[in-house]
Amino acid sequence: MSQLVLDKATIKFGGLTAVNQVCFELEQGMIFGLIGPNGAGKTTCFNLITGLYKPTSGSITFDGHDLSQYPTYQIAALGISRTFQNIRLFGSLTVLENVMLGTYLRKESSLASALLHGGRSIGDTSRKREFATNLLNVLGLGDLLHVRSRDLPYGKQRRVEIARAMATNPKLLLLDEPAAGMNPQEKVALMEDVKRLRNEFGKTILVIEHDMKFVMNLCEQIVVLDHGEEIARGLPAEVKANPKVIAAYLGE
Amino acid sequence: MVASPPVSKSNPVAKSLVSGILSAVGCVALAFLVQYISGQFLSSYANGLVFQAATFVTLAVSLNIVNGITGQFSIGHYAFFQIGAYTTGALSLLFWKKFQGAANVPMQEDIWIVLMMFFGIITSAFAGWIVGLPSLRLRGDYLAIVTLGFGEIIRISAENFTFMGGATGTKIAPEKTVVWLAWLLAFAAIGLSRNLLKSVHGLAFLSVREDEIAATAMGVNITRTKVAAFVIGSAFAGAAGVLYAHQQTFISPDLFKMDGSFIVLTMVIFGGTGSITGSALAGASLFYLPEALRELPPVPFASLVGIVLGLIATIGALKRYSDQSHAKTSVKAATMIGIIVVGIVFMAILGKLLSFVPSISAHAPIQGSQLRLVVFAVTLIVLMLFRPQGVFAHHEFSWKWLRSVLARVLPKQKEGLSS
Ligand SMILES: Nc1ncnc2c1ncn2[C@@H]1O[C@H](COP(=O)(O)OP(=O)(O)OP(=O)(O)O)[C@@H](O)[C@H]1O
Ligand SMILES: [Mg+2]
């Protein structure tokens, strides 16, 4: 069964239909690409899936749950996590604190225990710190633990955002232009890491990205949007050869 | 998935229990020590100041939970303070005499006040919950206006609360300045804030301040977190209000005017929003400012206008100079002192000139106590211009922090000397 199902998902902002009758399904453990020209509605799809926007019509189902019934923070608890196109790290917190926040969903101690510095809270927090540290090491950020996230270069910030999203232990990871602002070496490293997140941790991954080389090499299936509508879907090679896609997006 | 939970060698539960008990006992002991010293060696006026210092530490540190840590711009903190005071006011009017008659025990008054703190916490926390609810939909300025309005509603309701003397107010019994409780409360506010920031829960509070959208996408229940911040913050303010009422011996709506909220807000901003120690130190020091102003002789109106205008000009000049000059630190400091001296002369001349303007010289002199808002406003403006992040910014005061600051400052001076 598909993990995520968009069924005629539609959202209108006044007169503008940003996402129009979009249908696609993601299978567990695959890497999907979502591409299209600027303003095609890709980020809006992420906002719909994570519940920041509610669809005007149509439905989005995740693991059998109708997501329109859940507020964003509960959708995160169901197992969907994301990064943001315009990075949204907690700027004045350190890298480690940003990633530790990702574990908040799996907290094992109450607010009262935290306020009283109870043993539960201490143990919980130290386990989460350990977890976040390990995760950052895995993602090659181990030497930046105590740097304020605002002070990091762009490429590193994108990585920290991925680490923070991973810390929620999601089933589905949504990456919005993860390679934007990265240099070619960073992009190669990122691609390897995204593959590892799938191979080693079994995450389903949906990536928005404008860098075609990156998308074509990484993704196993690609959905193309234009003006809020799905214009193509399929294997990278098929999508690349699709005349509609070439006309709307790839050119030449 | 990535990490297996570590097997910690020392038992954190036992360790925390021991350190928790030790620090609690330490705080109680310290609080009694302060009470003893202050009661034995200080005048009753100074003893009152020691009490008030603790009250304002509690107010500033608890507002910091809402404003600094959670980023919800609340400017009605005094309302919760007032709710605490009025809770004990009402209950004491009704039941204190009976309690006094029924339970003849040592420290009878202190016990009653502790009991009242419990009720004050409940009523003010409930009010905090009510005010916290609209904050879910409102942001920034709008929330500020709601909290401000709430403060006024509480104050005006009190004016019409005839049982408590309406606008005139009412006497409170027992009359007692409980220094040890006030300090214990301040320590508790500091300790709880610090504990919070050391936990994953604390990160959730901070994440709401930093970026609500990212926070909610990471699974933080924004609603619950904001309301919790309001409830915790107002509970402390309410408890402080209970103590304050018994210290003041007479409470009236006038005691809780809006400017009190602004003063507490100034303390939080001054200390550095988010910094617990910053708020605490600002609370313990700035509260004295209005007291000190009361001692000031009346100032002629012309001089006051001269001072304010001169101050604005001086601050503007200093800001402009410090932004644009790239001179050496020593040269810069000397020039800035020069600007200040010129500014003071300018103030004096301006004040003298203005005294020849009939409509200004006819104005009655201004009392020091009328100046408190002016002084706090000027403090805030200076702060916003020169150090918008507050004295301590988001740092906590610690010896490590002090060393790192010194390390940053000292080599600079060496450079200045050698070149
Ligand atoms: N909250 C909103 N209110 C009004 N219009 C919106 C809103 N969010 C998105 N839109 C509009 O919806 C359209 C799709 O935007 P979206 O951000 O999803 O594009 P995108 O495919 O992610 O583009 P890009 O590649 O530039 O990131 C745009 O025309 C945008 O202006
Ligand atoms: Mg986008």
Side-chain angles (χ1 to χ4, degrees):
Chain A
M1 203 191 80
S2 302
Q3 193 177 48
L4 181 79
V5 182
L6 274 76
D7 184 19
K8 295 192 189 142
T10 302
I11 185 165
K12 295 182 180 161
F13 297 114
L16 176 86
T17 309
V19 172
N20 195 3
Q21 307 265 342
V22 168
C23 304
F24 62 79
E25 304 187 355
L26 305 189
E27 272 86 45
Q28 152 90 49
M30 287 185 70
I31 303 181
F32 292 83
L34 184 58
I35 63 172
N38 290 120
K42 306 180 295 292
T43 299
T44 307
C45 276
F46 274 20
N47 289 339
L48 284 171
I49 296 169
T50 52
L52 290 177
Y53 300 155
K54 294 294 170 198
T56 316
S57 65
S59 74
I60 303 174
T61 319
F62 179 73
D63 274 349
H65 301 278
D66 175 6
L67 293 187
S68 66
Q69 305 301 315
Y70 294 86
T72 300
Y73 74 92
Q74 283 179 4
I75 292 177
L78 289 176
I80 301 180
S81 197
R82 70 175 289 181
T83 66
F84 295 88
Q85 182 173 355
N86 49 342
I87 302 170
R88 283 182 176 275
L89 283 173
F90 306 123
S92 57
L93 305 191
T94 64
V95 168
L96 180 62
E97 287 169 333
N98 267 276
V99 176
M100 274 175 78
L101 180 90
T103 68
Y104 174 76
L105 274 173
R106 287 174 285 125
K107 60 189 175 296
E108 296 152 21
S109 56
S110 65
L111 177 57
S113 169
L115 288 171
L116 299 174
H117 208 43
R120 248 174 188 290
S121 167
I122 295 174
D124 187 20
T125 304
S126 82
R127 278 193 299 279
K128 297 298 154 55
R129 184 175 293 116
E130 194 106 355
F131 171 89
T133 309
N134 275 326
L135 183 57
L136 283 162
N137 282 328
V138 168
L139 287 169
L141 297 163
D143 49 345
L144 299 174
L145 296 184
H146 302 295
V147 180
R148 219 164 47 145
S149 65
R150 178 184 294 145
D151 300 336
L152 287 175
Y154 216 58
K156 291 274 190 276
Q157 291 196 13
R158 292 224 176 266
R159 273 182 166 264
V160 175
E161 250 205 335
I162 296 175
R164 184 181 68 182
M166 279 293 289
T168 66
N169 203 0
K171 295 175 188 151
L172 170 62
L173 187 60
L174 309 175
L175 304 176
D176 199 342
E177 305 199 11
M182 287 191 175
N183 62 38
Q185 293 96 303
E186 284 179 317
K187 283 186 186 176
V188 172
L190 176 70
M191 184 143 45
E192 290 314 311
D193 282 328
V194 174
K195 281 183 182 160
R196 268 171 63 207
L197 296 183
R198 195 274 306 274
N199 297 342
E200 290 176 25
F201 306 116
K203 308 291 175 200
T204 313
I205 295 169
L206 178 59
V207 197
I208 297 176
E209 187 49 64
H210 281 294
D211 183 325
M212 276 310 114
K213 206 171 131 221
F214 187 90
V215 174
M216 295 298 166
N217 286 332
L218 178 66
C219 301
E220 293 147 345
Q221 180 114 33
I222 293 175
V223 176
V224 189
L225 293 184
D226 184 29
H227 291 106
E229 293 180 26
E230 186 181 320
I231 57 169
R233 182 181 0 181
L235 301 173
E238 295 168 3
V239 165
K240 225 188 312 196
N242 186 317
K244 269 201 210 161
V245 178
I246 293 171
Y249 185 42
L250 297 177
E252 290 310 292
Chain B
M1 35 156 254
V2 178
S4 57
V7 190
S8 58
K9 285 183 199 98
S10 57
N11 181 354
V13 179
K15 230 169 82 183
S16 88
L17 202 65
V18 171
S19 73
I21 290 173
L22 278 182
S23 49
V25 169
C27 286
V28 173
L30 191 59
F32 272 105
L33 186 69
V34 172
Q35 157 147 320
Y36 175 76
I37 291 175
S38 163
Q40 288 290 309
F41 302 107
L42 297 180
S43 67
S44 82
Y45 172 71
N47 187 46
L49 290 182
V50 170
F51 171 90
Q52 286 197 17
T55 304
F56 280 94
V57 169
T58 307
L59 285 173
V61 171
S62 59
L63 183 61
N64 183 51
I65 296 174
V66 181
N67 276 30
I69 297 177
T70 321
Q72 302 305 297
F73 202 71
S74 163
I75 48 179
H77 208 50
Y78 248 45
F80 306 112
F81 188 48
Q82 180 173 13
I83 288 171
Y86 270 69
T87 303
T88 188
L91 292 174
S92 297
L93 271 182
L94 291 171
F95 302 115
W96 161 243
K97 283 272 162 345
K98 281 182 201 148
F99 179 84
Q100 202 180 18
N104 206 347
V105 285
M107 290 182 77
Q108 192 186 30
E109 292 168 334
D110 293 30
I111 291 171
W112 174 256
I113 292 172
V114 169
L115 203 65
M116 288 303 104
M117 276 171 85
F118 177 72
F119 287 107
I121 286 172
I122 291 177
T123 49
S124 56
F126 178 73
W129 179 72
I130 300 275
V131 178
L133 287 176
S135 77
L136 319 175
R137 293 177 202 293
L138 300 173
R139 250 157 246 213
D141 322 346
Y142 298 104
L143 177 64
I145 290 165
V146 168
T147 54
L148 191 71
F150 177 76
E152 284 303 277
I153 290 171
I154 295 297
R155 195 174 60 80
I156 291 164
S157 310
E159 280 182 358
N160 294 297
F161 192 24
T162 44
F163 170 67
M164 301 281 292
T168 344
T170 180
K171 226 170 133 45
I172 298 280
E175 297 173 8
K176 184 133 198 222
T177 304
V178 204
V179 173
W180 73 272
L181 264 180
W183 277 101
L184 195 58
L185 185 65
F187 294 150
I190 295 170
L192 256 63
S193 303
R194 167 193 155 278
N195 292 347
L196 180 66
L197 287 190
K198 285 196 161 189
S199 72
V200 178
H201 279 280
L203 290 176
F205 282 67
L206 291 166
S207 75
V208 171
R209 173 187 83 187
E210 295 286 313
D211 189 324
E212 286 192 17
I213 292 183
T216 175
M218 292 301 121
V220 175
N221 184 343
I222 306 270
T223 310
R224 233 199 69 176
T225 309
K226 285 183 186 173
V227 172
F230 265 100
V231 168
I232 298 167
S234 42
F236 274 107
V242 170
L243 295 176
Y244 188 66
H246 290 282
Q247 190 248 354
Q248 288 291 310
T249 71
F250 191 92
I251 56 170
S252 69
D254 270 358
L255 266 185
F256 303 97
K257 278 205 293 244
M258 206 158 64
D259 44 356
S261 290
F262 283 115
I263 288 174
V264 178
L265 183 66
T266 310
M267 290 166 177
V268 172
I269 296 173
F270 193 87
T273 36
S275 168
I276 304 163
T277 38
S279 302
L281 291 174
S285 50
L286 289 186
F287 90 97
Y288 185 67
L289 220 53
E291 296 294 325
L293 289 172
R294 216 163 287 170
E295 318 270 292
L296 232 57
V299 203
F301 187 59
S303 311
L304 182 66
V305 175
I307 289 170
V308 170
L309 291 178
L311 212 55
I312 293 171
T314 313
I315 291 169
L318 281 176
K319 173 73 179 162
R320 211 179 151 77
Y321 175 73
S322 76
D323 282 354
Q324 294 185 350
S325 151
H326 302 289
K328 271 186 294 186
T329 320
S330 50
V331 175
K332 216 167 159 174
T335 314
M336 287 175 94
I337 292 171
I339 293 176
I340 293 172
V341 171
V342 172
I344 292 171
V345 173
F346 177 65
M347 284 175 209
I349 295 174
L350 202 63
K352 195 74 207 157
L353 286 178
L354 284 169
S355 67
F356 295 119
V357 180
S359 64
I360 290 181
S361 62
H363 201 289
I366 305 295
Q367 300 295 327
S369 59
Q370 287 175 284
L371 285 175
R372 54 190 216 145
L373 276 188
V374 178
V375 170
F376 274 97
V378 170
T379 312
L380 263 186
I381 292 170
V382 172
L383 200 67
M384 288 300 127
L385 284 174
F386 294 99
R387 198 166 162 83
Q389 68 275 49
V391 173
F392 288 91
H394 56 276
H395 301 288
E396 291 303 338
F397 181 85
S398 66
W399 299 119
K400 203 173 131 209
W401 175 79
L402 193 64
R403 263 206 303 276
S404 78
V405 171
L406 289 178
R408 245 184 303 140
V409 173
L410 292 178
K412 246 193 228 158
Q413 283 183 347
K414 238 186 260 161
E415 269 170 34
L417 289 175
S418 62
S419 55

